[in-house]
Amino acid sequence: MFFPRYPSYLPLILAATLLPLAAHGYFLVTSPTKGVEWVNGQTYPITWTKGLLDGIAQFDLELTRMSTEGLIFVARDISSSIGGINIALNGVPAGNDYFLLLLNSTHGGLYANSQVFSITNSGSGNSTARLASKPTVTISGGPNPTAQFATTFAQVNGVNAWRPTPTALLSAVLMAFALLAGAAAAL
């Protein structure tokens, strides 16, 4: 079998160039965004997008502030595939430095966090339509270290079928080609 002569480091360069196409590990909170104002007594959506092959089947959601200590435990074991939930606020302390943490609270691994937003007791708030087909979680009061999560969703079995995207397939084929070319160059 004939392979043209090229430097032996070429397959490594090709593999390094294609690696970002194969990496699908991202988790991004798309709502709330920076500067949004939530008002107590109303319901607001939280939305996210995530990578296909990141291995995150579920996560926990916590609300916290930058200026004070403590967490408000919102929901445990949220299926990451649903893409969003609604939060109903009931007597949450006002502040302009809130943000959400999407994490694995058992192991302490942070997957993503939202941008900073405000919660007020009264006002117009940002008019954001709630997600009609998504579950709603009601949170009440401020941080309480002995409180449980406001809602615990059903456990996800953790086994998700892999549905390759065209980019993932192209990346896998090109990566295989680069590995075979590297092995052939070593012979």
Side-chain angles (χ1 to χ4, degrees):
M1 186 171 220
F2 173 74
F3 287 97
R5 295 299 296 175
Y6 54 85
S8 61
Y9 58 84
L10 188 61
L12 294 175
I13 293 172
L14 183 60
T17 303
L18 298 174
L19 190 58
L21 294 175
H24 296 283
Y26 70 91
F27 207 126
L28 179 66
V29 178
T30 54
S31 175
T33 55
K34 185 176 182 179
V36 167
E37 181 182 287
W38 287 3
V39 178
N40 271 306
Q42 296 184 21
T43 302
Y44 296 93
I46 297 172
T47 58
W48 59 85
T49 58
K50 62 180 255 357
L52 178 64
L53 302 176
D54 60 10
I56 301 170
Q58 59 195 34
F59 63 91
D60 304 326
L61 181 65
E62 298 175 0
L63 178 66
T64 190
R65 295 179 67 180
M66 288 192 268
S67 65
T68 61
E69 293 182 11
L71 298 167
I72 298 174
F73 301 114
V74 179
R76 184 172 180 84
D77 298 330
I78 300 170
S79 172
S80 60
S81 64
I82 64 173
I85 65 169
N86 297 298
I87 291 189
L89 300 176
N90 184 16
V92 176
N96 63 355
D97 58 348
Y98 278 97
F99 61 100
L100 295 164
L101 302 173
L102 287 70
L103 55 99
N104 178 331
S105 61
T106 303
H107 302 291
L110 178 65
Y111 300 133
N113 58 279
S114 72
Q115 295 181 3
V116 177
F117 62 97
S118 300
I119 295 178
T120 63
N121 290 323
S122 63
S124 61
N126 297 80
S127 58
T128 307
R130 80 182 275 227
L131 305 169
S133 62
K134 305 296 183 186
T136 298
V137 177
T138 300
I139 55 174
S140 300
N144 180 350
T146 61
Q148 299 293 319
F149 281 94
T151 299
T152 300
F153 290 91
Q155 285 281 336
V156 175
N157 65 8
V159 179
N160 294 327
W162 181 55
R163 295 183 184 103
T165 64
T167 304
L169 288 175
L170 175 64
S171 177
V173 167
L174 292 175
M175 189 67 71
F177 173 73
L179 291 173
L180 287 174
L187 295 178

